Amino acid sequence: MCVKQLTHQQCLGADAALSRAFSLLGKRWTAVVLGTLGTGGPTGFRELSRAVGGISDSVLSDRLTELTQAGLITRTVDAGPPISVTYALSERGAALMPAFEQISTWAQEHL
Amino acid sequence: MCVKQLTHQQCLGADAALSRAFSLLGKRWTAVVLGTLGTGGPTGFRELSRAVGGISDSVLSDRLTELTQAGLITRTVDAGPPISVTYALSERGAALMPAFEQISTWAQEHL
DNA sequence: CTAGTCGCTTCGATTTCCGAAGTCGCTAAC
DNA sequence: GTTAGCGACTTCGGAAATCGAAGCGACTAG
């Protein structure tokens, strides 16, 4: 049984939800991109690339597209000139930050 | 600045810690394996494979090796006969469960 | 003796990721 | 006017990760 005295069914539901979450978060860079937007605030592609560090442009572009489509971030285009694009956490994305802070705290003492 | 009024330095530290955490959790299946051990308790390879669902044997084997080496799970061999092996969360691994519960709750309402 | 299970390993194929180079539109400096 | 740099990406070949299937040895059950 669960470490927290849940019913078997509740455990299955929790596992399925965690699986859905990690079908996104289990990709390299997804959580780091979200976390970086959470700590640094709204920013553009290049600045985000620098803040994340080590990510390729094509993967960053892919992740931003996926996260926008999943509703975790918003993409705002200012036609300028010059064109500028700003990515920011949405409410839904911001709702993940408490969990990421816990993971971050955990990593500070365990990794 | 941070959404939570941290210093710039604290944000950078948090991002670096999150990056370290997700160099592990950002691999396909890692978090789901941990989460499944958290809800289902100690178990063997085959049962864990069934509980996780959809994972290949070679990746499960790889993940279990990595997680054991990282100290997040323990591997206990009973020489039998027949041989049986039990994987369980370590204290360090169990310390991640509150964050995974938050992510699971978040996924139940957002994904 | 046969079939099934456990706890894995191996291997070829597929998918994901990476690094480099590139595009277009803009701005700045000379 | 020219050159260089930047932003916001896209493209592509190669490397790494993942997958699915098949296999192994040791055991148990019928």
Side-chain angles (χ1 to χ4, degrees):
Chain A
M1 212 52 72
C2 278
V3 297
K4 277 194 70 188
Q5 298 300 344
L6 302 176
T7 68
H8 184 60
Q9 216 61 37
Q10 282 172 312
C11 288
L12 292 179
D15 282 349
L18 195 70
S19 285
R20 289 200 299 281
F22 273 89
S23 65
L24 195 55
L25 300 177
K27 289 182 168 188
R28 188 100 172 94
W29 300 115
T30 302
V32 181
V33 167
L34 287 172
T36 303
L37 285 172
T39 55
T43 192
F45 185 100
R46 188 55 58 198
E47 185 53 40
L48 184 53
S49 175
R50 284 193 289 268
V52 169
I55 189 171
S56 69
D57 282 355
S58 52
V59 172
L60 180 55
S61 178
D62 284 348
R63 291 297 170 275
L64 292 173
T65 299
E66 284 166 4
L67 289 169
T68 304
Q69 285 172 342
L72 300 183
I73 65 175
T74 58
R75 176 177 187 270
T76 305
V77 179
D78 179 345
I83 284 183
S84 86
V85 180
T86 303
Y87 294 96
L89 283 183
S90 64
E91 231 179 274
R92 180 185 277 183
L96 267 176
M97 295 304 109
F100 283 6
E101 279 159 34
Q102 278 197 273
I103 291 175
S104 188
T105 299
W106 173 88
Q108 276 162 349
E109 71 192 78
H110 290 290
L111 288 185
Chain B
M1 210 53 72
C2 279
V3 296
K4 278 194 70 183
Q5 299 301 342
L6 301 176
T7 67
H8 183 61
Q9 214 62 38
Q10 282 173 312
C11 288
L12 291 179
D15 283 349
L18 195 70
S19 285
R20 287 200 302 281
F22 274 89
S23 65
L24 193 56
L25 300 178
K27 289 184 168 190
R28 189 95 171 97
W29 300 113
T30 302
V32 180
V33 167
L34 285 171
T36 303
L37 285 172
T39 54
T43 193
F45 185 99
R46 189 55 58 196
E47 183 56 38
L48 184 53
S49 175
R50 284 194 287 269
V52 168
I55 188 171
S56 70
D57 281 359
S58 53
V59 173
L60 180 54
S61 178
D62 283 349
R63 291 297 173 272
L64 291 172
T65 300
E66 285 165 3
L67 290 169
T68 302
Q69 284 170 343
L72 298 184
I73 67 176
T74 58
R75 177 178 185 270
T76 305
V77 179
D78 179 343
I83 284 183
S84 85
V85 180
T86 302
Y87 294 95
L89 283 183
S90 65
E91 231 178 275
R92 179 184 278 183
L96 267 176
M97 296 305 110
F100 283 9
E101 278 160 34
Q102 278 197 273
I103 291 175
S104 187
T105 299
W106 173 87
Q108 277 163 349
E109 71 190 80
H110 290 289
L111 288 187

